[in-house]
Amino acid sequence: AAAEGSPAMQSQARISEAERRFLLDGVAQGLRNDGRGCFDYRRIAFETGPIPSATGSCRLRAGETDLIVCVKCEMSKPSLQHPRVGQIQVTVDCAASISVAFSDGRGAEESSRQLSVLLESLCASDGVIDRSALCILPGAFAWDVHVDVLVLTSGGNLLDSVSLALCAALCETVLPKVEVLEAMEEGEVVQLRVDDRPEVGTPFPLRRFPLCVTVAQIQQRFLFDVTSEEELCADAMLCVVVDAKCGEVIGIHKIGPGLFDLGALPSMLDRCRAAAAALMQQLERELALKDHDM
């Protein structure tokens, strides 16, 4: 699904004309201020399970970006409209100190709300998560999943970083084993028996592994993993959502104003698929190392 985003995702901080010219001249020659190539990512560091009380959690650091994703699951009653599915809600909380960087001066609350809606539509839709698998007893019991994202600092390319940390946290999430105890007598309340041992639990029902790969166009060049300064100089930005499990593009979202060069889109989609596959491999290595250490 293609959609056009608000400018809230783009940096609105100031950059001097000299800094802007230096950055543009470098990009025109294929050189970035930090020495990376046009499609190179900054080093990404994962820490899975930093919050012991959560069902799943991940802390991610990439460049100047530092964020934490926490997944908590509660048993609740399904809605009357959808009695056979559970619910998932994504909430983003941006530290007030960074809100100016991507809120157009409207404050952290508005930025957080827009990011929450965007992430939920791109990375937590029905096509991505099997909500029926979150239902224990239709009309009576279902999992209510809360995904809380805390953005401590942002150094650009925030959407990509959050989507990666979100997938990592959901991969770490194991739903407790739940048995329904049938009522022995008429009118008796149905009860549940919960076994929260991880080894008998159920992996979170992810149908897809949605990773955002944002492409920034600066003049005739295209960049991945842009810094805050590069975002300021971008003529157009496009977020491509890739199912890293199979390489299929499952969403395209335009960020902010500007016209993206559609003639370059096919080749950029190929690069986005390759980038998502590389990120997936890195995450799988991190998770395998954690399992080995345990």
Side-chain angles (χ1 to χ4, degrees), residues 109-120:
E109 185 175 342
E110 178 64 13
S111 301
S112 300
R113 186 193 67 79
Q114 291 185 0
L115 269 171
S116 301
V117 172
L118 187 55
L119 279 165
E120 201 165 302

Side-chain angles (χ1 to χ4, degrees), residues 23 38 58 64 70 80 98 101 104 120 187 236 245 270 281 283 288:
L23 189 149
C38 291
C58 175
E64 297 177 6
C70 173
L80 293 175
I98 69 165
D104 197 18
E120 201 165 302
K245 287 184 176 181
D270 288 341
Q281 289 177 355
L283 177 56

Side-chain angles (χ1 to χ4, degrees), residues 35-207:
R36 287 182 294 148
C38 291
F39 302 107
D40 293 340
Y41 272 74
R42 287 165 287 188
R43 181 179 178 275
I44 300 173
F46 297 95
E47 180 187 352
T48 53
I51 305 177
S53 61
T55 314
S57 59
C58 175
R59 184 169 189 173
L60 182 145
R61 298 179 179 90
E64 297 177 6
T65 297
D66 188 358
L67 59 92
I68 300 173
V69 176
C70 173
V71 181
K72 293 186 177 180
C73 302
E74 300 175 349
M75 192 60 65
S76 66
K77 186 175 181 179
S79 66
L80 293 175
Q81 296 81 6
H82 305 285
R84 296 181 175 275
V85 298
Q87 299 298 321
I88 181 168
Q89 181 178 13
V90 179
T91 304
V92 180
D93 185 10
C94 297
S97 59
I98 69 165
S99 65
V100 175
F102 51 93
S103 68
D104 197 18
R106 282 172 289 183
E109 185 175 342
E110 178 64 13
S111 301
S112 300
R113 186 193 67 79
Q114 291 185 0
L115 269 171
S116 301
V117 172
L118 187 55
L119 279 165
E120 201 165 302
S121 64
L122 293 178
C123 301
S125 64
D126 291 340
V128 171
I129 295 169
D130 183 3
R131 282 173 165 76
S132 63
L134 297 175
C135 184
I136 304 300
L137 183 63
F141 298 106
W143 288 112
D144 195 357
V145 182
H146 298 272
V147 180
D148 297 314
V149 182
L150 175 59
V151 182
L152 302 172
T153 59
S154 175
N157 201 40
L158 185 58
L159 191 55
D160 295 20
S161 297
V162 174
S163 74
L164 182 57
L166 173 63
C167 286
L170 290 178
C171 280
E172 285 289 280
T173 298
V174 177
L175 299 175
K177 181 181 179 181
V178 179
E179 293 182 68
V180 178
L181 303 179
E182 297 293 341
M184 301 298 293
E185 299 179 5
E186 186 177 349
E188 186 178 351
V189 178
V190 176
Q191 295 184 335
L192 299 179
R193 178 186 291 139
V194 180
D195 187 341
D196 59 3
R197 291 177 299 166
E199 59 269 21
V200 298
T202 304
F204 191 83
L206 273 177
R207 284 174 167 154

Side-chain angles (χ1 to χ4, degrees), residues 242-289:
V242 179
D243 179 4
K245 287 184 176 181
C246 64
E248 179 184 352
V249 174
I250 58 176
I252 298 178
H253 184 91
K254 186 175 180 296
I255 300 173
L259 298 176
F260 194 87
D261 182 4
L262 294 181
L265 187 58
S267 62
M268 287 301 105
L269 292 181
D270 288 341
R271 287 189 177 273
C272 288
R273 293 187 188 98
L279 292 170
M280 179 75 170
Q281 289 177 355
Q282 182 178 354
L283 177 56
E284 287 177 335
R285 285 196 299 268
E286 295 285 343
L287 296 177
L289 284 173

